[in-house]
Amino acid sequence: MLEIKNLHAQVEDKPILQGIDLTINPGEVHAIMGPNGSGKSTLASVIAGRDEYEVTGGSIDYKGKDLLDMEPEDRAREGVFLAFQYPVEIPGVSNMYFMKAALNAVRTHRGESEMDAMDFLAWVKERAKLVQMDESFLKRNINEGFSGGEKKRNEIFQMAVLDPSLAVLDETDSGLDIDALRIVSDGVNALRNENRAVLVITHYQRLLEYIVPDKVHVLYDGKIIRSGDRNLALELEEKGYGWIEQEAAEATR
Amino acid sequence: MKTETQNLEELANRDYKYGFVTDIDADSLPPGLDEDVVRAISAKKNEPEFMLEWRLKAFRHWKTMTEPTWAFVKYPEIDYQAISYYSAPKKAGEGPKSLDEVDPELLKTYEKLGIPLKEQEILAGVVAVDAVFDSVSVATTFKDKLHDLGIVFCSFSEAVQNHPELVEKYLGTVVPHTDNFFAALNSAVFSDGSFVYVPKGVRCPMELSTYFRINAANTGQFERTLIVADEGASVSYLEGCTAPMRDENQLHAAVVELVALDNAKIKYSTVQNWYPGDKDGKGGIYNFVTKRGKCAGVNSKISWTQVETGSAITWKYPSCILQGDNSIGEFYSVALTNNKQQADTGTKMIHIGKNTRSTIVSKGISAGEGQNTYRGQVKILKGADNARNYSQCDSMLLGDRCGAHTFPYIDVQNPSATMEHEASTAKIGEDQIFYCQQRGISAEDAVSMIVNGFCKEVFRELPMEFAVEAQKLLGISLEGSVG
């Protein structure tokens, strides 16, 4: 599904990613952990195609296509979804209107007909249940006046509506209390299937108790310095990032 | 990958869709302005003596005035002697009696603009159009139907001929001929416009509508509109405009006066899309308009809604004088400036009567190198007990070469007044655009969506048919301005 090779990227001439290799197959859930500034969010942004991030080397193959060659909206239409760490507010534009525009952009891209209002309504109502989102949220403006938890839930709701092939969750757990974390995780788990790949980016092992990953990678200084199964996350929780940093330092010595 | 700024620029650089010139013989006065020209205009229009006297008074006063410079706009000096003050499409004998008699060239022009009069006639009773081509009314539809209700809806010239007593009674009562430089000029030389009178207790059953269009080269367009709603009457009036492409800057100085008597309501909506000039600021309309309504009677209400996307220079402050007790004034505005456009617009709410209320909602959008200024005054006079005002001025910037400016003036002379003022300036976020893109929505559609969301409170106030047009217009005006 996704094959990242020797990826290098920088922001304002400052190198952030320094050779990432990562392969995710359909149906798999991978977690990326790492300390602040290790490049986790940069990786998410590069996959989504954010302008400020300049790719200076390497490649990303997505479903046999060169992802880096695609506009952000085309990546989305091809099934790449990013759950934002900081979802933005768009005053005056309702969630419902936004989701309809988005879904129809995706459908048009796939050569499908636009969904009519009745079908769309039925679809979003069904998907809203996955994240226990009240229907009144649909009418509210995008993220305007939403609490931190509501915003994150809204991200997973959007993921449910758009039904992507590859979902990247960028610190979706940050700012969530335990109840919200459970709701969001249940939503993500309900969306797990053999065709969908998920990349979970997080600081904390806690989220991985709810969304159990197939693989865990530790990102440090723009490189994946260690990969393993979910036990790696537990080990990391126990020993802290200092342990990895030390190992990394020793490895480069 | 294209940067978003490039996307914005491509959007902005789309050509003006409505740029074309209709080839029609115009019966024009030579350029220049003196008393003889004023007399000639009045004579051409076969006006009664009081009109000529009023025009001459205005002209003599205008000569003593100087052009105002306080607005936050820059433009080359206007040579008022280089302008021709009268231009009318040539008529074969009498004016056209039906659309069939209208110059087909003219009808084609309207068709290009998407205002098929013929269809509108068929669309019976939805919108009556008093279409103004240059300075003379060409066709007025639905007049008969309105006539049955006692509603007068006609060109200003016809009103002068057929209802001189109404014109004499109300002309200049809201915007006197001495009011300001441009209003005085208009009073002296105005060629035509619209006139509406809704008699006591009558609710006008349809939206009244006018399309203005500037056509002949170098002809200043000076319209005069007067709308009077008698006691208990109500009327909704729509004004929409587009103009053909031209190199010379065209001066436009209109005056609109609204009078609402006891318990009367007037709603005045404008969508203005005059040629803004090209992306280097060449050409474009200079729009210096005086619009004012007087809530003369108790419980009266005047509501202005404007969507301003055109003109190189906009100088416009639709205002309300709240004279009657319990009267209400409203101003809802969307002003968009792109490329080199400059807009200095806002409102004045003058509270005179007791328990008067006013609401101001202004949305300014600047893109390209556009400069957008909100200038508003709220004045609560001594006798205006328990007056209330709510003002909200929001600005949105697209890109980093444009500007937004806010000049609110508040003058409260009565301690029982309640004033609320909110203001915000936001840069249209690359974050917001990217968020939309990440959901599959193109940058262009994203900007359109974000801007329309920003303007929602104003669009809500527009009549349905205008709201759709206004949204499209914003989309077109912003094309190429994603940043």
Side-chain angles (χ1 to χ4, degrees), chain B residues 102-155:
Chain B
V102 171
D103 187 338
E105 275 289 302
L106 205 54
L107 293 180
K108 252 190 254 165
T109 307
Y110 287 120
E111 265 162 43
K112 276 190 236 171
L113 286 170
I115 324 156
L117 281 180
K118 291 191 181 187
E119 272 178 39
Q120 298 220 13
E121 220 173 25
I122 298 161
L123 288 171
V126 185
V127 176
V129 172
D130 176 18
V132 173
F133 184 91
D134 274 0
S135 312
V136 163
S137 289
V138 177
T140 302
T141 48
F142 303 109
K143 223 182 338 189
D144 296 343
K145 197 166 174 183
L146 296 170
H147 183 78
D148 293 343
L149 290 162
I151 295 169
V152 182
F153 175 40
C154 61
S155 71

Tab-separated table of all heavy atoms in Angstrom, chain B residues 102-155:
chain	number	residue	atom	x	y	z
B	102	VAL	N	-37.384	47.347	-28.507
B	102	VAL	CA	-36.079	47.702	-27.959
B	102	VAL	C	-34.974	47.309	-28.937
B	102	VAL	O	-35.070	46.277	-29.608
B	102	VAL	CB	-35.860	47.000	-26.593
B	102	VAL	CG1	-34.444	47.174	-26.102
B	102	VAL	CG2	-36.849	47.538	-25.574
B	103	ASP	N	-33.964	48.166	-29.046
B	103	ASP	CA	-32.810	47.901	-29.910
B	103	ASP	C	-32.278	46.487	-29.643
B	103	ASP	O	-31.887	46.172	-28.521
B	103	ASP	CB	-31.724	48.950	-29.594
B	103	ASP	CG	-30.549	48.867	-30.552
B	103	ASP	OD1	-30.351	47.787	-31.166
B	103	ASP	OD2	-29.841	49.873	-30.686
B	104	PRO	N	-32.284	45.635	-30.673
B	104	PRO	CA	-31.841	44.248	-30.441
B	104	PRO	C	-30.414	44.160	-29.897
B	104	PRO	O	-30.088	43.245	-29.130
B	104	PRO	CB	-31.926	43.597	-31.826
B	104	PRO	CG	-32.585	44.555	-32.729
B	104	PRO	CD	-32.701	45.881	-32.060
B	105	GLU	N	-29.562	45.130	-30.285
B	105	GLU	CA	-28.190	45.164	-29.757
B	105	GLU	C	-28.193	45.245	-28.236
B	105	GLU	O	-27.409	44.606	-27.542
B	105	GLU	CB	-27.455	46.407	-30.301
B	105	GLU	CG	-26.834	46.216	-31.662
B	105	GLU	CD	-25.631	45.283	-31.590
B	105	GLU	OE1	-24.697	45.594	-30.835
B	105	GLU	OE2	-25.643	44.255	-32.274
B	106	LEU	N	-29.112	46.048	-27.755
B	106	LEU	CA	-29.217	46.282	-26.341
B	106	LEU	C	-29.680	45.013	-25.622
B	106	LEU	O	-29.137	44.621	-24.589
B	106	LEU	CB	-30.247	47.394	-26.118
B	106	LEU	CG	-30.137	48.219	-24.856
B	106	LEU	CD1	-28.752	48.795	-24.718
B	106	LEU	CD2	-31.164	49.334	-24.901
B	107	LEU	N	-30.660	44.381	-26.247
B	107	LEU	CA	-31.162	43.141	-25.651
B	107	LEU	C	-30.068	42.087	-25.601
B	107	LEU	O	-29.945	41.343	-24.635
B	107	LEU	CB	-32.368	42.622	-26.439
B	107	LEU	CG	-33.617	43.497	-26.370
B	107	LEU	CD1	-34.747	42.881	-27.186
B	107	LEU	CD2	-34.071	43.695	-24.927
B	108	LYS	N	-29.244	42.100	-26.658
B	108	LYS	CA	-28.134	41.135	-26.702
B	108	LYS	C	-27.167	41.379	-25.550
B	108	LYS	O	-26.651	40.446	-24.940
B	108	LYS	CB	-27.386	41.257	-28.043
B	108	LYS	CG	-27.652	40.073	-28.973
B	108	LYS	CD	-26.717	40.128	-30.159
B	108	LYS	CE	-27.471	40.562	-31.418
B	108	LYS	NZ	-26.574	40.961	-32.508
B	109	THR	N	-26.938	42.665	-25.285
B	109	THR	CA	-26.043	43.010	-24.180
B	109	THR	C	-26.536	42.395	-22.879
B	109	THR	O	-25.780	41.796	-22.134
B	109	THR	CB	-25.982	44.542	-24.000
B	109	THR	OG1	-25.663	45.118	-25.245
B	109	THR	CG2	-24.945	44.919	-22.976
B	110	TYR	N	-27.815	42.548	-22.653
B	110	TYR	CA	-28.365	41.999	-21.417
B	110	TYR	C	-28.314	40.479	-21.402
B	110	TYR	O	-28.103	39.866	-20.364
B	110	TYR	CB	-29.803	42.487	-21.206
B	110	TYR	CG	-29.856	43.931	-20.807
B	110	TYR	CD1	-30.526	44.866	-21.570
B	110	TYR	CD2	-29.202	44.352	-19.661
B	110	TYR	CE1	-30.556	46.193	-21.204
B	110	TYR	CE2	-29.218	45.679	-19.287
B	110	TYR	CZ	-29.902	46.602	-20.064
B	110	TYR	OH	-29.910	47.914	-19.693
B	111	GLU	N	-28.494	39.920	-22.589
B	111	GLU	CA	-28.420	38.462	-22.659
B	111	GLU	C	-27.035	37.969	-22.262
B	111	GLU	O	-26.888	36.992	-21.539
B	111	GLU	CB	-28.790	37.966	-24.060
B	111	GLU	CG	-30.261	37.574	-24.159
B	111	GLU	CD	-30.739	37.503	-25.587
B	111	GLU	OE1	-29.987	36.961	-26.422
B	111	GLU	OE2	-31.840	38.007	-25.864
B	112	LYS	N	-26.006	38.692	-22.768
B	112	LYS	CA	-24.643	38.312	-22.415
B	112	LYS	C	-24.423	38.388	-20.921
B	112	LYS	O	-23.651	37.644	-20.338
B	112	LYS	CB	-23.639	39.235	-23.117
B	112	LYS	CG	-23.321	38.814	-24.545
B	112	LYS	CD	-22.171	39.617	-25.085
B	112	LYS	CE	-22.587	40.307	-26.378
B	112	LYS	NZ	-21.616	41.272	-26.855
B	113	LEU	N	-25.112	39.309	-20.325
B	113	LEU	CA	-24.997	39.472	-18.874
B	113	LEU	C	-25.846	38.471	-18.114
B	113	LEU	O	-25.807	38.413	-16.895
B	113	LEU	CB	-25.449	40.878	-18.471
B	113	LEU	CG	-24.502	42.013	-18.808
B	113	LEU	CD1	-25.170	43.327	-18.571
B	113	LEU	CD2	-23.249	41.902	-17.965
B	114	GLY	N	-26.611	37.703	-18.848
B	114	GLY	CA	-27.457	36.725	-18.179
B	114	GLY	C	-28.723	37.329	-17.598
B	114	GLY	O	-29.262	36.840	-16.616
B	115	ILE	N	-29.203	38.418	-18.184
B	115	ILE	CA	-30.457	39.010	-17.714
B	115	ILE	C	-31.447	39.005	-18.869
B	115	ILE	O	-31.749	40.049	-19.424
B	115	ILE	CB	-30.296	40.480	-17.294
B	115	ILE	CG1	-28.940	40.713	-16.642
B	115	ILE	CG2	-31.435	40.928	-16.390
B	115	ILE	CD1	-28.491	42.147	-16.724
B	116	PRO	N	-31.905	37.857	-19.304
B	116	PRO	CA	-32.827	37.868	-20.433
B	116	PRO	C	-34.177	38.467	-20.029
B	116	PRO	O	-34.941	37.853	-19.309
B	116	PRO	CB	-32.970	36.385	-20.798
B	116	PRO	CG	-32.537	35.639	-19.596
B	116	PRO	CD	-31.744	36.542	-18.721
B	117	LEU	N	-34.409	39.699	-20.502
B	117	LEU	CA	-35.651	40.389	-20.138
B	117	LEU	C	-36.870	39.601	-20.575
B	117	LEU	O	-37.860	39.527	-19.873
B	117	LEU	CB	-35.697	41.770	-20.801
B	117	LEU	CG	-34.880	42.865	-20.141
B	117	LEU	CD1	-35.028	44.156	-20.914
B	117	LEU	CD2	-35.290	43.075	-18.697
B	118	LYS	N	-36.754	39.014	-21.770
B	118	LYS	CA	-37.888	38.263	-22.294
B	118	LYS	C	-38.286	37.145	-21.344
B	118	LYS	O	-39.459	36.964	-21.050
B	118	LYS	CB	-37.541	37.674	-23.660
B	118	LYS	CG	-37.409	38.762	-24.705
B	118	LYS	CD	-37.331	38.226	-26.103
B	118	LYS	CE	-37.178	39.425	-27.034
B	118	LYS	NZ	-37.257	39.105	-28.423
B	119	GLU	N	-37.273	36.454	-20.884
B	119	GLU	CA	-37.564	35.380	-19.941
B	119	GLU	C	-38.139	35.925	-18.647
B	119	GLU	O	-39.031	35.334	-18.046
B	119	GLU	CB	-36.300	34.588	-19.626
B	119	GLU	CG	-36.070	33.453	-20.595
B	119	GLU	CD	-34.791	32.714	-20.280
B	119	GLU	OE1	-34.494	32.531	-19.091
B	119	GLU	OE2	-34.104	32.333	-21.238
B	120	GLN	N	-37.583	37.063	-18.257
B	120	GLN	CA	-38.060	37.646	-17.008
B	120	GLN	C	-39.525	38.016	-17.129
B	120	GLN	O	-40.282	37.923	-16.162
B	120	GLN	CB	-37.230	38.877	-16.676
B	120	GLN	CG	-35.786	38.504	-16.481
B	120	GLN	CD	-35.140	39.239	-15.331
B	120	GLN	OE1	-35.820	39.857	-14.518
B	120	GLN	NE2	-33.828	39.167	-15.261
B	121	GLU	N	-39.918	38.440	-18.310
B	121	GLU	CA	-41.311	38.789	-18.519
B	121	GLU	C	-42.179	37.536	-18.357
B	121	GLU	O	-43.260	37.585	-17.777
B	121	GLU	CB	-41.497	39.364	-19.923
B	121	GLU	CG	-42.437	40.533	-19.948
B	121	GLU	CD	-42.461	41.191	-21.304
B	121	GLU	OE1	-42.155	40.525	-22.320
B	121	GLU	OE2	-42.800	42.364	-21.363
B	122	ILE	N	-41.643	36.449	-18.885
B	122	ILE	CA	-42.385	35.188	-18.785
B	122	ILE	C	-42.437	34.704	-17.338
B	122	ILE	O	-43.433	34.165	-16.877
B	122	ILE	CB	-41.752	34.115	-19.713
B	122	ILE	CG1	-41.842	34.593	-21.163
B	122	ILE	CG2	-42.445	32.777	-19.549
B	122	ILE	CD1	-40.910	33.902	-22.119
B	123	LEU	N	-41.325	34.919	-16.653
B	123	LEU	CA	-41.255	34.497	-15.247
B	123	LEU	C	-42.171	35.343	-14.364
B	123	LEU	O	-41.866	35.617	-13.207
B	123	LEU	CB	-39.822	34.620	-14.722
B	123	LEU	CG	-38.802	33.606	-15.218
B	123	LEU	CD1	-37.415	34.027	-14.778
B	123	LEU	CD2	-39.120	32.222	-14.701
B	124	ALA	N	-43.265	35.718	-14.924
B	124	ALA	CA	-44.243	36.643	-14.351
B	124	ALA	C	-44.217	36.829	-12.844
B	124	ALA	O	-44.343	35.894	-12.062
B	124	ALA	CB	-45.639	36.188	-14.784
B	125	GLY	N	-44.094	38.083	-12.494
B	125	GLY	CA	-44.342	38.439	-11.109
B	125	GLY	C	-43.244	38.113	-10.117
B	125	GLY	O	-43.386	38.401	-8.939
B	126	VAL	N	-42.132	37.551	-10.574
B	126	VAL	CA	-41.059	37.257	-9.616
B	126	VAL	C	-40.235	38.510	-9.362
B	126	VAL	O	-40.077	38.949	-8.239
B	126	VAL	CB	-40.160	36.111	-10.112
B	126	VAL	CG1	-39.146	35.745	-9.049
B	126	VAL	CG2	-41.006	34.922	-10.508
B	127	VAL	N	-39.724	39.068	-10.418
B	127	VAL	CA	-38.881	40.253	-10.309
B	127	VAL	C	-39.250	41.221	-11.430
B	127	VAL	O	-39.337	40.825	-12.585
B	127	VAL	CB	-37.388	39.875	-10.450
B	127	VAL	CG1	-36.525	41.118	-10.425
B	127	VAL	CG2	-36.969	38.924	-9.338
B	128	ALA	N	-39.485	42.438	-11.085
B	128	ALA	CA	-39.718	43.448	-12.119
B	128	ALA	C	-38.412	44.175	-12.373
B	128	ALA	O	-37.724	44.565	-11.447
B	128	ALA	CB	-40.774	44.439	-11.669
B	129	VAL	N	-38.052	44.314	-13.644
B	129	VAL	CA	-36.761	44.917	-13.960
B	129	VAL	C	-36.933	46.250	-14.666
B	129	VAL	O	-37.571	46.350	-15.688
B	129	VAL	CB	-35.930	43.980	-14.862
B	129	VAL	CG1	-34.673	44.695	-15.347
B	129	VAL	CG2	-35.538	42.744	-14.098
B	130	ASP	N	-36.358	47.259	-14.058
B	130	ASP	CA	-36.315	48.548	-14.726
B	130	ASP	C	-34.875	48.707	-15.181
B	130	ASP	O	-34.028	49.158	-14.441
B	130	ASP	CB	-36.719	49.656	-13.742
B	130	ASP	CG	-36.595	51.026	-14.368
B	130	ASP	OD1	-36.545	51.111	-15.597
B	130	ASP	OD2	-36.554	52.000	-13.603
B	131	ALA	N	-34.617	48.260	-16.398
B	131	ALA	CA	-33.228	48.172	-16.837
B	131	ALA	C	-32.728	49.519	-17.355
B	131	ALA	O	-33.352	50.136	-18.195
B	131	ALA	CB	-33.113	47.115	-17.912
B	132	VAL	N	-31.630	49.930	-16.812
B	132	VAL	CA	-31.048	51.193	-17.244
B	132	VAL	C	-29.834	50.913	-18.115
B	132	VAL	O	-28.912	50.240	-17.705
B	132	VAL	CB	-30.611	52.039	-16.040
B	132	VAL	CG1	-29.857	53.272	-16.506
B	132	VAL	CG2	-31.807	52.442	-15.226
B	133	PHE	N	-29.855	51.400	-19.348
B	133	PHE	CA	-28.700	51.269	-20.206
B	133	PHE	C	-28.130	52.651	-20.362
B	133	PHE	O	-28.776	53.531	-20.902
B	133	PHE	CB	-29.130	50.721	-21.561
B	133	PHE	CG	-27.978	50.462	-22.467
B	133	PHE	CD1	-27.376	49.225	-22.485
B	133	PHE	CD2	-27.460	51.464	-23.270
B	133	PHE	CE1	-26.285	48.986	-23.305
B	133	PHE	CE2	-26.379	51.226	-24.088
B	133	PHE	CZ	-25.796	49.986	-24.106
B	134	ASP	N	-26.898	52.824	-19.912
B	134	ASP	CA	-26.377	54.162	-19.778
B	134	ASP	C	-27.353	54.996	-18.998
B	134	ASP	O	-27.656	54.699	-17.879
B	134	ASP	CB	-26.046	54.775	-21.132
B	134	ASP	CG	-24.648	54.351	-21.523
B	134	ASP	OD1	-24.039	53.620	-20.735
B	134	ASP	OD2	-24.181	54.734	-22.578
B	135	SER	N	-27.895	56.009	-19.576
B	135	SER	CA	-28.599	56.957	-18.732
B	135	SER	C	-30.115	56.952	-18.873
B	135	SER	O	-30.792	57.693	-18.198
B	135	SER	CB	-28.078	58.358	-19.013
B	135	SER	OG	-26.674	58.335	-19.001
B	136	VAL	N	-30.630	56.158	-19.758
B	136	VAL	CA	-32.068	56.228	-19.969
B	136	VAL	C	-32.714	54.846	-19.776
B	136	VAL	O	-32.181	53.842	-20.185
B	136	VAL	CB	-32.373	56.770	-21.395
B	136	VAL	CG1	-33.808	56.472	-21.786
B	136	VAL	CG2	-32.110	58.254	-21.451
B	137	SER	N	-33.856	54.844	-19.154
B	137	SER	CA	-34.550	53.586	-18.949
B	137	SER	C	-35.012	53.009	-20.267
B	137	SER	O	-35.550	53.714	-21.099
B	137	SER	CB	-35.774	53.794	-18.072
B	137	SER	OG	-35.364	54.061	-16.784
B	138	VAL	N	-34.778	51.764	-20.493
B	138	VAL	CA	-35.111	51.156	-21.767
B	138	VAL	C	-36.439	50.425	-21.697
B	138	VAL	O	-37.302	50.563	-22.541
B	138	VAL	CB	-34.007	50.181	-22.201
B	138	VAL	CG1	-34.389	49.501	-23.503
B	138	VAL	CG2	-32.716	50.925	-22.373
B	139	ALA	N	-36.583	49.634	-20.702
B	139	ALA	CA	-37.824	48.883	-20.623
B	139	ALA	C	-38.226	48.741	-19.167
B	139	ALA	O	-37.404	48.560	-18.289
B	139	ALA	CB	-37.640	47.509	-21.249
B	140	THR	N	-39.457	48.857	-18.907
B	140	THR	CA	-39.943	48.645	-17.554
B	140	THR	C	-41.034	47.585	-17.637
B	140	THR	O	-41.977	47.711	-18.404
B	140	THR	CB	-40.502	49.942	-16.966
B	140	THR	OG1	-39.489	50.931	-16.996
B	140	THR	CG2	-40.935	49.736	-15.529
B	141	THR	N	-40.813	46.545	-16.870
B	141	THR	CA	-41.767	45.448	-16.940
B	141	THR	C	-42.621	45.395	-15.678
B	141	THR	O	-42.270	45.959	-14.651
B	141	THR	CB	-41.016	44.114	-17.079
B	141	THR	OG1	-39.989	44.084	-16.109
B	141	THR	CG2	-40.408	43.959	-18.442
B	142	PHE	N	-43.699	44.722	-15.784
B	142	PHE	CA	-44.587	44.492	-14.646
B	142	PHE	C	-45.194	45.761	-14.065
B	142	PHE	O	-45.740	45.759	-12.989
B	142	PHE	CB	-43.841	43.753	-13.527
B	142	PHE	CG	-43.266	42.463	-13.985
B	142	PHE	CD1	-41.913	42.316	-14.141
B	142	PHE	CD2	-44.104	41.397	-14.293
B	142	PHE	CE1	-41.377	41.124	-14.589
B	142	PHE	CE2	-43.575	40.210	-14.729
B	142	PHE	CZ	-42.205	40.075	-14.884
B	143	LYS	N	-45.077	46.830	-14.816
B	143	LYS	CA	-45.536	48.110	-14.287
B	143	LYS	C	-47.051	48.080	-14.056
B	143	LYS	O	-47.565	48.625	-13.089
B	143	LYS	CB	-45.149	49.235	-15.239
B	143	LYS	CG	-44.633	50.411	-14.488
B	143	LYS	CD	-44.234	51.644	-15.250
B	143	LYS	CE	-43.880	51.581	-16.668
B	143	LYS	NZ	-43.325	52.797	-17.199
B	144	ASP	N	-47.716	47.416	-14.989
B	144	ASP	CA	-49.177	47.406	-14.899
B	144	ASP	C	-49.661	46.727	-13.628
B	144	ASP	O	-50.554	47.214	-12.939
B	144	ASP	CB	-49.780	46.694	-16.114
B	144	ASP	CG	-49.464	47.456	-17.388
B	144	ASP	OD1	-49.094	48.652	-17.266
B	144	ASP	OD2	-49.562	46.873	-18.480
B	145	LYS	N	-49.041	45.595	-13.358
B	145	LYS	CA	-49.431	44.846	-12.179
B	145	LYS	C	-49.246	45.688	-10.917
B	145	LYS	O	-50.096	45.708	-10.024
B	145	LYS	CB	-48.572	43.584	-12.094
B	145	LYS	CG	-49.136	42.551	-11.171
B	145	LYS	CD	-48.452	41.221	-11.383
B	145	LYS	CE	-48.941	40.235	-10.341
B	145	LYS	NZ	-48.261	38.955	-10.470
B	146	LEU	N	-48.102	46.376	-10.869
B	146	LEU	CA	-47.826	47.223	-9.720
B	146	LEU	C	-48.798	48.401	-9.680
B	146	LEU	O	-49.233	48.830	-8.606
B	146	LEU	CB	-46.377	47.725	-9.788
B	146	LEU	CG	-45.316	46.636	-9.691
B	146	LEU	CD1	-43.937	47.200	-10.015
B	146	LEU	CD2	-45.310	46.003	-8.313
B	147	HIS	N	-49.137	48.868	-10.854
B	147	HIS	CA	-50.026	50.020	-10.970
B	147	HIS	C	-51.370	49.744	-10.287
B	147	HIS	O	-51.943	50.613	-9.623
B	147	HIS	CB	-50.237	50.362	-12.451
B	147	HIS	CG	-51.087	51.573	-12.659
B	147	HIS	ND1	-50.607	52.854	-12.513
B	147	HIS	CD2	-52.390	51.684	-12.969
B	147	HIS	CE1	-51.574	53.711	-12.732
B	147	HIS	NE2	-52.691	53.029	-13.020
B	148	ASP	N	-51.848	48.515	-10.453
B	148	ASP	CA	-53.124	48.146	-9.837
B	148	ASP	C	-53.109	48.310	-8.314
B	148	ASP	O	-54.139	48.556	-7.698
B	148	ASP	CB	-53.490	46.694	-10.179
B	148	ASP	CG	-53.784	46.533	-11.658
B	148	ASP	OD1	-54.019	47.573	-12.320
B	148	ASP	OD2	-53.767	45.389	-12.159
B	149	LEU	N	-51.927	48.124	-7.734
B	149	LEU	CA	-51.800	48.266	-6.282
B	149	LEU	C	-51.502	49.710	-5.870
B	149	LEU	O	-51.346	50.008	-4.700
B	149	LEU	CB	-50.672	47.369	-5.762
B	149	LEU	CG	-50.928	45.866	-5.798
B	149	LEU	CD1	-49.625	45.098	-5.692
B	149	LEU	CD2	-51.865	45.473	-4.667
B	150	GLY	N	-51.386	50.556	-6.872
B	150	GLY	CA	-51.069	51.951	-6.590
B	150	GLY	C	-49.582	52.197	-6.420
B	150	GLY	O	-49.148	53.283	-6.034
B	151	ILE	N	-48.778	51.166	-6.703
B	151	ILE	CA	-47.323	51.309	-6.568
B	151	ILE	C	-46.760	51.983	-7.817
B	151	ILE	O	-47.092	51.602	-8.939
B	151	ILE	CB	-46.650	49.938	-6.381
B	151	ILE	CG1	-47.092	49.306	-5.069
B	151	ILE	CG2	-45.129	50.059	-6.421
B	151	ILE	CD1	-46.695	47.856	-4.904
B	152	VAL	N	-45.969	52.986	-7.613
B	152	VAL	CA	-45.295	53.628	-8.739
B	152	VAL	C	-43.885	53.065	-8.800
B	152	VAL	O	-43.124	53.160	-7.835
B	152	VAL	CB	-45.224	55.164	-8.561
B	152	VAL	CG1	-44.567	55.804	-9.772
B	152	VAL	CG2	-46.612	55.739	-8.318
B	153	PHE	N	-43.552	52.435	-9.898
B	153	PHE	CA	-42.181	51.945	-10.108
B	153	PHE	C	-41.815	52.307	-11.529
B	153	PHE	O	-42.343	51.723	-12.480
B	153	PHE	CB	-42.114	50.433	-9.887
B	153	PHE	CG	-40.766	49.830	-10.209
B	153	PHE	CD1	-39.585	50.480	-9.873
B	153	PHE	CD2	-40.670	48.600	-10.848
B	153	PHE	CE1	-38.341	49.932	-10.158
B	153	PHE	CE2	-39.423	48.037	-11.147
B	153	PHE	CZ	-38.268	48.707	-10.796
B	154	CYS	N	-40.998	53.304	-11.694
B	154	CYS	CA	-40.687	53.774	-13.048
B	154	CYS	C	-39.328	54.440	-13.049
B	154	CYS	O	-38.665	54.540	-12.019
B	154	CYS	CB	-41.764	54.747	-13.513
B	154	CYS	SG	-41.907	56.208	-12.481
B	155	SER	N	-38.921	54.886	-14.217
B	155	SER	CA	-37.661	55.616	-14.291
B	155	SER	C	-37.872	56.978	-13.627
B	155	SER	O	-39.005	57.460	-13.512
B	155	SER	CB	-37.239	55.798	-15.738
B	155	SER	OG	-38.091	56.727	-16.365
